[in-house]
Amino acid sequence: PVAEDGRTAAGRRQGPVQDTPPAKRVQEGLLETRRELGTLMGNLPGMAYRCLNAPRWPLQFASDRCLELTGYLADELAAHCPHYGDLIHPDDAERVWARVQEALRQNRRFNVTYRIRCRGGQVKWVWGQGAGVTAADGTVMVEGLILDVSFAKRIEAELNTLNQTLEDRVRERTSQLMDANAELEAQAYSIAHDLR
């Protein structure tokens, strides 16, 4: 309840209720959304990206985690210095392009594992997943997430080497056993012959 002099029952003066103008509410909402997206992108385990569907994969956006992944700042990659496609290992570039184009034609998500050459020359294995999106002007874009899987690839190579070593040992032991069995059979034949 408000008294005639504008005071509430608690004795405080109540002023006119001020509505935030709609434009300001929209602007505040956009800023909050931008902050939330920035936090979300920063918490992703890899690099989120959006690029043109073109051979050198010109990036329109890269999350800040691209520095950790590639050694390049997001602003450098978005300014095409270098193009992301220039980082893809030459032995993998054609396969990556073909896999993504096939997925786009079939209107489905893609995933592909390949190597990139980082700033300073380090080579990393990455796994990328994404999909095509069409911009308002009809331009086909590709967006997704790229993760560093070098550690998993290193473990896979070590396991393959270990498996190959074990297979080689099994073959060697099998050969030794076969030789020993042949020798025993020869001795058994000889003893049987002598007994006859």
Side-chain angles (χ1 to χ4, degrees):
V2 179
E4 288 181 28
D5 66 353
R7 294 184 182 272
T8 63
R12 291 185 309 274
R13 187 153 190 71
Q14 184 176 9
V17 177
Q18 295 199 359
D19 276 334
T20 306
K24 184 167 174 103
R25 280 197 308 268
V26 169
Q27 184 180 19
E28 288 171 352
L30 288 173
L31 288 173
E32 179 60 17
T33 300
R34 180 179 240 169
R35 186 195 64 75
E36 289 172 352
L37 285 174
T39 301
L40 175 66
M41 294 294 173
N43 288 321
L44 290 175
M47 178 181 94
Y49 71 93
R50 174 179 265 198
C51 66
L52 292 173
N53 183 37
R56 292 177 73 195
W57 304 109
L59 289 174
Q60 305 299 304
F61 166 80
S63 65
D64 289 339
R65 296 294 291 270
C66 70
L67 179 62
E68 182 181 321
L69 182 69
T70 68
Y72 292 95
L73 295 169
D75 291 341
E76 291 176 294
L77 292 175
H80 312 141
C81 297
H83 282 83
Y84 182 75
D86 297 339
L87 302 182
I88 298 175
H89 195 283
D91 294 343
D92 298 340
E94 189 175 314
R95 181 176 53 82
V96 172
W97 176 259
R99 180 80 61 89
V100 172
Q101 298 313 302
E102 178 185 345
L104 294 178
R105 278 192 302 278
Q106 296 175 3
N107 199 26
R108 64 175 173 77
R109 298 188 73 71
F110 64 85
N111 63 69
V112 61
T113 303
Y114 57 97
R115 291 165 292 176
I116 60 170
R117 295 177 299 182
C118 305
R119 176 177 267 157
Q122 179 186 10
V123 175
K124 289 183 181 179
W125 280 96
V126 297
W127 175 83
Q129 178 178 344
V133 294
T134 305
D137 65 0
T139 305
V140 177
M141 310 287 279
V142 178
E143 59 185 21
L145 180 69
I146 300 171
L147 303 175
D148 182 351
V149 293
S150 299
F151 179 74
K153 279 294 200 179
R154 200 166 34 253
I155 296 299
E156 180 184 349
E158 289 173 9
L159 285 173
N160 287 339
T161 301
L162 180 60
N163 284 338
Q164 187 60 51
T165 302
L166 289 173
E167 287 175 14
D168 291 346
R169 285 184 183 172
V170 167
R171 273 194 293 277
E172 183 181 332
R173 297 281 194 243
T174 302
S175 176
Q176 289 172 351
L177 282 172
M178 289 174 71
D179 290 345
N181 279 342
E183 204 173 299
L184 284 173
E185 284 177 13
Q187 286 179 356
Y189 178 79
S190 176
I191 290 171
H193 183 270
D194 288 348
L195 287 174
R196 274 196 300 263

